[in-house]
Amino acid sequence: MVRIRNLDFGYSRRVPLFQNLNLALDRGHIYGLLGKNGAGKTTLLKNIVGLAFPWAGTCLIDEQPAAARTPALLEDLFFLPEEVYAPALTAEQFVAYTAGFYPRFDAGQLYGYLQELEVPRGAKLNKFSHGQQKKFMIAFALAANTGLLVLDEPTNGLDIPSKVQFRKILASALSEERCMVISTHQVRDLESLIDTVVVVHNREIVLNQELDQLAERLTFAKGAAAEAPGAFYSGASVGGPVAIRPNETGAYSRVDLELLFNALTTGDAAALHTYLNQPRHEPVQ
């Protein structure tokens, strides 16, 4: 669905943010976009949705240039920025003014999501708290039923119960026809939601893999098992030592996104990069 090829971009010609960047995002997936502060996550999202213009290379949505922002492209795209704008309108008024831009918008879904998120329908949106405004816009974004949904730091401002509900309704809204991209620095908020992780670091995409593939390739060890030699990355946690090692036994271990992110963005990650990017050979039967 999204194809970025050889993209160069920066806000100053003296300081390029991305150079020769390539990325492919497909329908049927929920992508978690991770990166350090200042790594360019929001800038990458703006290039994806056509709000930033590359110096070189291309960014296409279904083979159409994102920057062209044609009506046909925009009606199948919803971008929710980190800071939302809530006008002095009720939910019904907002729907009346806005829903027509999205041919597959479903009002029934919107009001169902609002009920799940405990957002009132009668009050004007600008009178809501920041968290309530965020929840309303998340609900509207999902109800628009666009093929591409891009969310920048959607859990900022949400309390813990709201984050749980957010993950629940987002997972229920995924279909084979939709591609969802979520940028966050709160890694734990995405662990039970995304199926594919994308990490941007040092002006490049250092990882774009499904969690199931990572679980097959890596072991996320704890305790004594984490202290054995040969780990790609070792660290400490409240429960003791932790490490990322090659999965030599074929046993499944839950992917620790925070540990993986630290391994890819802290210190020397060359061995881990090489291991994850090399073809996987199936064992001989």
Side-chain angles (χ1 to χ4, degrees):
M1 182 171 198
V2 177
R3 295 292 182 270
I4 297 177
R5 301 185 181 97
N6 306 317
L7 183 140
D8 292 350
F9 179 84
Y11 294 106
S12 167
R13 288 287 180 177
R14 296 180 180 179
V15 186
L17 186 55
F18 297 125
Q19 291 181 298
N20 200 36
L21 184 140
N22 293 277
L23 179 64
L25 306 173
D26 295 315
R27 296 178 189 268
H29 293 279
I30 302 179
Y31 293 88
L33 176 61
L34 310 180
K36 292 182 177 181
N37 289 338
K41 299 188 298 298
T42 296
T43 299
L44 178 56
L45 296 185
K46 287 183 176 179
N47 274 273
I48 288 174
V49 302
L51 293 176
F53 309 101
W55 299 345
T58 57
C59 180
L60 305 177
I61 300 176
D62 287 336
E63 301 303 320
Q64 300 298 314
R69 293 181 65 81
T70 63
L73 187 151
L74 292 177
E75 69 182 20
D76 201 35
L77 161 66
F78 199 103
F79 172 52
L80 184 63
E82 180 178 3
E83 297 297 326
V84 299
Y85 168 70
L89 301 171
T90 65
E92 286 82 359
Q93 290 170 333
F94 187 87
V95 168
Y97 284 117
T98 312
F101 293 104
Y102 303 99
R104 292 189 295 276
F105 179 83
D106 188 322
Q109 285 183 350
L110 171 65
Y111 297 127
Y113 295 145
L114 293 181
Q115 183 174 5
E116 290 188 60
L117 293 169
E118 299 181 348
V119 178
R121 289 175 52 173
K124 290 188 176 181
L125 304 181
N126 65 330
K127 301 299 182 182
F128 287 172
S129 67
H130 174 68
Q132 293 288 75
Q133 291 175 354
K134 202 71 173 283
K135 288 191 287 186
F136 174 84
M137 293 306 301
I138 289 170
F140 187 91
L142 290 170
N145 286 299
T146 55
L148 178 59
L149 174 61
V150 180
L151 308 175
D152 191 7
E153 301 287 357
T155 58
N156 278 3
L158 301 187
D159 56 24
I160 292 175
S162 296
K163 289 180 180 181
V164 173
Q165 289 301 111
F166 164 76
R167 290 192 290 266
K168 177 183 174 182
I169 65 174
L170 204 73
S172 69
L174 179 66
S175 71
E176 291 300 316
E177 298 303 314
R178 300 186 83 171
C179 173
M180 301 182 183
V181 186
I182 309 170
S183 168
T184 187
H185 66 278
Q186 301 183 46
V187 179
R188 296 293 183 190
D189 287 347
L190 297 186
E191 280 194 315
S192 60
L193 176 62
I194 65 172
D195 59 59
T196 307
V197 58
V198 179
V199 178
V200 56
H201 182 60
N202 287 341
R203 303 173 183 170
E204 61 180 344
I205 303 296
V206 297
L207 182 69
N208 180 11
Q209 286 199 23
E210 295 183 25
L211 293 185
D212 286 346
Q213 295 174 339
L214 292 170
E216 291 177 358
R217 302 291 299 274
L218 300 172
T219 295
F220 294 81
K222 299 180 180 179
E227 297 179 318
F232 292 121
Y233 177 81
S234 301
S237 70
V238 175
V242 290
I244 300 177
R245 311 172 53 81
N247 186 354
E248 298 173 340
T249 66
Y252 178 88
S253 66
R254 184 183 64 84
V255 175
D256 186 326
L257 278 182
E258 188 170 309
L259 187 62
L260 178 63
F261 177 76
N262 289 336
L264 290 167
T265 60
T266 305
D268 183 8
L272 180 57
H273 288 162
T274 300
Y275 178 76
L276 290 176
N277 289 319
Q278 68 186 11
R280 183 167 184 245
H281 299 290
E282 298 295 335
V284 178
Q285 300 294 325

